[in-house]
Amino acid sequence: IGFMKKNAGKPFFAYVPFNMPHLPVVASERLRGTSLRGLYGDVIEEIDWSVGQVLDTLRKLQLDTKTVVVFTSDNGPWLAFKTHGGSAGPLRAGKGTTFEGGQRVPCIMRWPGKIPAGSINNELATTMDFLPTLSRLAGGKEPSDRVIDGKNIWPLMKGEPGARSPHEAFFYH
């Protein structure tokens, strides 16, 4: 929040990774015991509260309509840790597997006036796609001296009618 306030008058990139859902699982005293999912649920509540603080700050600084916010995960739940590792719901398996529960993760994107609120996209995209997409949105270009695995997914993000994944296939080993 301090970084955003300090840089509010110029373009900035903020990467805010939460390591909280990894062991050791710890929630603040303020949120400990507040969820129906035990300590792990309390940690998720803590992350939710923290993201809310970021969004509130963007609104107060009048940057929310100028800012792309992406909330996602690197992989599925850590099922070996039972109640301390999350859930993939109806999807099979989790972290470290090639099953859908290990690969398919939530991704929520927000950019008021640019990304349609409440839209759902079921096309394949990966976190590798953020580099070329966000670079283009910021007016930059992809490097031309190397192959970039990611693809521009802006048509998917903005809900362009008929937009399809730029990926032909996805392989993971």
Side-chain angles (χ1 to χ4, degrees):
I1 290 171
F3 172 82
M4 290 189 300
K5 288 178 178 178
K6 182 179 175 182
N7 293 283
K10 58 187 174 189
F12 64 82
F13 175 83
Y15 173 65
V16 186
F18 293 94
N19 67 344
M20 295 164 63
H22 293 87
L23 296 177
V25 179
V26 179
S28 69
E29 227 169 281
R30 181 176 41 83
L31 289 170
R32 204 171 302 131
T34 60
S35 81
L36 299 175
R37 294 275 301 178
L39 181 56
Y40 189 82
D42 297 345
V43 167
I44 302 306
E45 293 283 342
E46 188 89 34
I47 293 171
D48 185 55
W49 176 84
S50 298
V51 171
Q53 295 297 297
V54 170
L55 295 177
D56 287 346
T57 301
L58 289 171
R59 276 188 216 97
K60 288 175 187 170
L61 296 173
Q62 299 179 336
L63 295 175
D64 57 330
T65 60
K66 299 177 185 178
T67 305
V68 179
V69 175
V70 178
F71 185 90
T72 192
S73 178
D74 58 347
N75 51 43
W78 211 347
L79 299 178
F81 291 100
K82 311 287 186 229
T83 60
H84 286 59
S87 168
L91 305 179
R92 182 178 179 185
K95 180 192 277 289
T97 73
T98 56
F99 293 112
E100 197 170 14
Q103 302 293 312
R104 188 175 174 187
V105 298
C107 182
I108 302 167
M109 298 184 186
R110 180 184 184 277
W111 191 7
K114 305 281 185 181
I115 297 175
S119 61
I120 296 173
N121 184 297
N122 291 313
E123 292 292 318
L124 174 68
T126 79
T127 54
M128 292 183 297
D129 298 327
F130 295 147
L131 173 64
T133 304
L134 297 177
S135 180
R136 284 187 188 180
L137 290 174
K141 290 190 271 181
E142 297 171 38
S144 58
D145 62 339
R146 70 200 82 156
V147 175
I148 299 296
D149 291 326
K151 308 285 185 197
N152 179 15
I153 58 168
W154 176 237
L156 300 177
M157 291 169 63
K158 70 179 179 177
E160 190 174 284
R164 306 287 301 173
S165 172
H167 298 281
E168 216 175 287
F170 177 72
F171 296 99
Y172 177 82
H173 173 71

